[in-house]
Amino acid sequence: MNDLDRRASLAAVGGLLVPTLVFGGCAKAAKNHSDKDEQSGGEGEVTANEDLMREHGVLRRILIVYREAAPRIAADPSKVDAGALATAATLFRAFGEQYHEQKLEEQHIFPAVAKAGGPAAGLVDTLKAQHQRGREITAFVLDQTKGGRIPTSQTAALARAMSGFTRMYEAHAAREDTIVFPAFKQALGQKRYDELGEQFEEIERQQFGGDGFDMAVDKVAGVEQALGLADLATFTAPPLARS
Ligand SMILES: [Fe+2]
Ligand SMILES: [Fe+2]
């Protein structure tokens, strides 16, 4: 099956309005689940926590986009590609908020760790509040970037919102990776944990009509390209200048 056929078959799957809008033009990503299985060695090779943590990797790349774009917006919004930022925010909404947060964490992870008690349970209320605050900020970023240009009246507020979002979500995802997800795995036991890993894969297929992770990686790479952030080497710290 060529890329066009794959896209046509994915488009034929019902109930995929948001993913179609978000991922619609992404030929390379339009691969089916069996491709993923072939690469990873079979069903169940990507565990639930590995899935969740690599999803955080995609979200962190959007945070880097926000962090790099915020001072540019504050300095001169006319030089910032508003369409690329809108794509980044749309991806965060579809992949981060509507899938990772709402379908996985809020439905499965948080209830399990809250029931188990301990340090992870004590974080759940704050994590949920941060999801909500993030959604408010995403809505603001989308509103400010629609129409292909950033209005000059709100540049300081937009830059502040993006920086605040980055600061919050870096701490949020790091706590989830190191405290919440390990507690989730421990609370379930191996058998139930393996079952939920497969269930997460199924939710991903239903939500995106294919491998949502691969689609999201391609999408964020396009945003990085548009904003001049694609070359990893540009992030290497400068040599030490000792005085
Ligand atoms: Fe979260
Ligand atoms: Fe998360």
Side-chain angles (χ1 to χ4, degrees), residues 55-72:
E55 287 162 14
H56 278 175
V58 171
L59 301 180
R60 284 190 173 96
R61 286 173 68 168
I62 300 174
L63 299 181
I64 291 166
V65 165
Y66 282 4
R67 191 192 64 216
E68 297 290 320
R72 297 189 202 172

Side-chain angles (χ1 to χ4, degrees), residues 154-243:
Q154 295 285 337
T155 51
L158 180 60
R160 254 197 324 274
M162 289 167 68
S163 297
F165 183 84
T166 301
R167 179 173 182 269
M168 174 182 78
Y169 219 90
E170 280 175 344
H172 180 103
R175 294 304 196 289
E176 289 180 340
D177 286 343
T178 56
I179 300 170
V180 176
F181 297 163
F184 162 71
K185 183 176 180 181
Q186 193 169 22
L188 289 184
Q190 192 65 46
K191 182 168 181 293
R192 182 73 187 120
Y193 176 75
D194 289 342
E195 287 169 0
L196 260 187
E198 291 181 20
Q199 197 177 328
F200 287 2
E201 295 282 314
E202 182 57 33
I203 294 168
E204 184 180 346
R205 280 197 300 279
Q206 285 176 359
Q207 188 94 348
F208 299 109
D211 190 324
F213 171 75
D214 279 358
M215 295 177 183
V217 169
D218 278 0
K219 203 75 182 170
V220 78
V223 169
E224 291 165 346
Q225 195 74 44
L227 292 168
L229 301 170
D231 184 0
L232 178 61
T234 62
F235 290 87
T236 304
L240 283 172
R242 297 175 191 275
S243 55

Side-chain angles (χ1 to χ4, degrees), residues 56 100-101 105 110 127-128 131 169 172-173 176 181:
H56 278 175
H100 176 90
E101 293 177 4
E105 291 179 345
F110 293 170
L127 293 169
K128 284 183 186 169
H131 285 179
Y169 219 90
H172 180 103
E176 289 180 340
F181 297 163

